């Protein structure tokens, strides 16, 4: 286990933020929080854990932290605040109850402490750090499996949550919220109709985008590209539940969506999308059969096309996390953590993608126990 002094000594390199499922930026430290293991608990599909680990790419290895969550949870969100602390919100506990509680993880003390409570319990929601340091929480599922239109703001200086001035324009769950270059937030999918909206941090209001997405999708990925556009990929059809291979690009200059020149090579949801130097890596997810897959592909923003990789991941993964980390002279390896390798099985597993050789290799060790529906957040 790592104590406060040990982890504090590790906090050397910096990072940049990312999107709801993925954190991208160059960093040496990633904190893995909560999630679920394979063991059944109380009739639920997975057992919920409050465990936390840190991955240090210079070791490179995972180490369990002495402290864990005050309340074990899965399907939660976690983002890094301007203070360096991590805000963990919502999720589902071992009894299948949805949580309104929130916690702060302090990398300096290596401790979790409780903070204010959200106005409503949420899973499948989004969490986005705004330019003023506050945090936007949108949508999700409430108790009773109802999709939410409500949104709220966390104020880190007060440790409190407060409703936004208005609600989302549509009920949304398993959607995405992506910070744009102009500091606004693009919210896509998770609703019955193909729709998207913009949150303006200056007016705290939601407005509909001039154009609508090409599909009503959920559990997709959204990745901010270097040129300011956003890649929306895969997911499930809101009505039929069919996995989607389609992808589209949002252009903030026009507020419209357009299909990529080619679809993905495989329809998938519960996958991960990671931006790196020359494209976006798409890994794993569930295929049309519902089984996790080992395949990966790369989106090229210059051509608007997807290219299937000849090398496969070491094992199937769905509902895993991914992060871009600095590794020696490489342009940035992508670390894949956990995920379901079967419909009901989670195994301790992590691997690294080398963008130079486009190969996958095992890490020195793996998080133990294995987890899925967890978070992996870059720290400084």
């Amino acid at each position: 286990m790592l104590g406060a002094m040990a982890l504090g000594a590790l906090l050397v390199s910096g990072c940049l933020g990312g999107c709801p499922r993925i954190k991208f930026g160059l960093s040496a430290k990633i904190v893995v929080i909560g999630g679920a293991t394979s063991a059944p608990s109380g009739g639920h599909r997975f057992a919920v854990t409050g465990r936390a680990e840190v991955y240090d790419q210079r070791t490179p290895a995972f180490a369990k932290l002495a402290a864990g969550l005050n309340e074990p949870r899965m399907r939660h969100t976690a983002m890094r605040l301007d203070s360096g602390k991590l805000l963990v919100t919502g999720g589902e506990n071992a009894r299948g109850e949805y949580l309104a509680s929130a916690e702060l993880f302090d990398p300096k003390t290596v401790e979790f402490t409780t903070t204010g409570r959200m106005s409503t319990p949420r899973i499948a929601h989004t969490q986005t750090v705004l330019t003023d340091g506050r945090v936007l929480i949108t949508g999700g599922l409430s108790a009773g499996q109802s999709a939410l239109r409500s949104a709220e703001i966390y104020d880190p200086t007060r440790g409190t949550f407060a409703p936004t001035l208005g609600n989302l324009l549509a009920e949304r769950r398993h959607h995405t919220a992506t910070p744009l270059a102009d500091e606004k937030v693009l919210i896509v999918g998770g609703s019955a109709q193909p729709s998207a909206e913009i949150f303006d941090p200056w007016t705290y209001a939601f407005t509909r985008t001039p154009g609508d997405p090409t599909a009503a999708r959920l559990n997709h990925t959204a990745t901010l590209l270097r040129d300011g556009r956003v890649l929306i990929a895969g997911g499930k059809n809101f009505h039929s539940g069919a996995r989607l291979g389609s992808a589209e690009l949002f252009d903030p200059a026009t507020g419209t969506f357009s299909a990529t020149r080619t679809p993905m090579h495989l329809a998938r949801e519960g996958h991960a999308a990671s931006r790196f130097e020359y494209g976006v890596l798409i890994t794993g997810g569930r295929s049309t059969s519902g089984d996790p897959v080992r395949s990966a592909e790369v989106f090229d923003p210059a051509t608007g096309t997807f290219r299937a990789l000849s090398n496969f991941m070491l094992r199937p993964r769905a509902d895993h996390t991914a992060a871009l980390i600095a590794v020696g002279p490489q342009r940035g390896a992508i670390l894949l953590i956990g995920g379901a390798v079967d419909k009901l099985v989670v195994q301790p597993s992590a691997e690294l993608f080398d963008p130079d050789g486009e190969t996958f290799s095992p890490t020195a060790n793996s998080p133990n126990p294995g987890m899925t529906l967890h978070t992996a957040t870059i720290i400084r």
Side-chain angles (χ1 to χ4, degrees), residues 85-105:
K85 295 180 180 180
L86 306 186
L87 174 66
V88 181
T89 63
E92 178 181 351
N93 66 19
R95 298 181 296 277
E97 299 166 337
Y98 295 174
L99 303 173
S101 63
E103 305 188 32
L104 291 170
F105 172 71

Side-chain angles (χ1 to χ4, degrees), residues 32-277:
V32 184
I33 298 173
T37 66
S38 297
S41 174
H44 294 286
R45 183 178 178 186
F46 296 115
V48 181
T49 179
R51 183 187 178 103
E53 301 194 32
V54 64
Y55 176 82
D56 177 3
Q57 71 89 11
R58 295 171 303 176
T59 311
F62 291 88
K64 181 182 177 182
L65 301 183
L69 287 162
N70 289 282
E71 190 166 16
R73 61 187 77 210
M74 66 177 184
R75 304 181 192 273
H76 53 287
T77 57
M79 293 290 283
R80 181 184 174 275
L81 304 177
D82 290 347
S83 65
K85 295 180 180 180
L86 306 186
L87 174 66
V88 181
T89 63
E92 178 181 351
N93 66 19
R95 298 181 296 277
E97 299 166 337
Y98 295 174
L99 303 173
S101 63
E103 305 188 32
L104 291 170
F105 172 71
D106 188 339
K108 295 179 180 179
T109 63
V110 201
E111 293 180 343
F112 288 88
T113 57
T114 58
T115 186
R117 295 177 63 85
M118 295 186 292
S119 62
T120 186
R122 302 174 190 267
I123 69 166
H125 55 293
T126 64
Q127 181 174 319
T128 311
V129 179
L130 305 175
T131 54
D132 64 3
R134 299 185 185 187
V135 182
L136 172 68
I137 312 292
T138 69
L141 285 169
S142 67
Q145 297 287 320
S146 298
L148 297 168
R149 283 186 59 206
S150 65
E152 46 196 301
I153 298 289
Y154 176 75
D155 184 343
T157 61
R158 299 181 179 180
T160 57
F161 292 85
T164 51
L165 297 177
N167 287 332
L168 291 164
L169 303 181
E171 296 173 343
R172 300 186 187 276
R173 59 182 176 88
H174 297 288
H175 53 297
T176 54
T178 309
L180 302 175
D182 63 1
E183 303 180 354
K184 297 178 181 178
V185 180
L186 172 68
I187 300 166
V188 178
S191 61
Q193 300 298 323
S195 71
E197 51 193 290
I198 298 286
F199 176 78
D200 188 331
W202 309 112
T203 63
Y204 274 47
F206 296 93
T207 58
R208 189 162 180 169
T209 53
D212 291 329
T214 62
R217 64 180 84 222
L218 55 94
N219 209 21
H220 51 283
T221 56
T223 309
L224 180 66
L225 305 179
R226 294 183 185 276
D227 61 11
R229 294 178 299 167
V230 180
L231 173 68
I232 312 295
K236 285 198 300 187
N237 180 283
F238 186 93
H239 300 286
S240 69
R243 273 81 183 183
L244 300 173
S246 64
E248 52 194 305
L249 290 164
F250 173 77
D251 185 345
T254 61
T256 58
F257 295 82
S258 59
T260 53
R261 288 186 59 189
T262 64
M264 293 193 295
H265 287 263
L266 184 71
R268 59 182 90 211
E269 60 95 13
H271 54 290
S274 314
R275 193 186 84 186
F276 61 109
E277 185 171 341

Side-chain angles (χ1 to χ4, degrees), residues 22 30 32 55 62 271-274 281-284 293-296 312-317 320-325 333-339 348-354 359-363 365-367 374 376:
I22 311 305
I30 297 171
V32 184
Y55 176 82
F62 291 88
H271 54 290
S274 314
L281 176 70
I282 308 291
T283 56
V293 297
R294 291 176 57 205
S295 71
F312 287 84
M313 298 188 301
L314 301 182
R315 60 181 61 203
R317 298 181 190 276
H320 55 294
T321 52
L324 179 62
I325 59 174
I334 295 171
L335 175 66
L336 308 179
I337 305 171
S349 172
E351 57 190 284
L352 287 164
F353 171 75
D354 177 1
T359 57
F360 295 90
S361 61
T363 50
N365 68 345
S366 297
H374 56 284

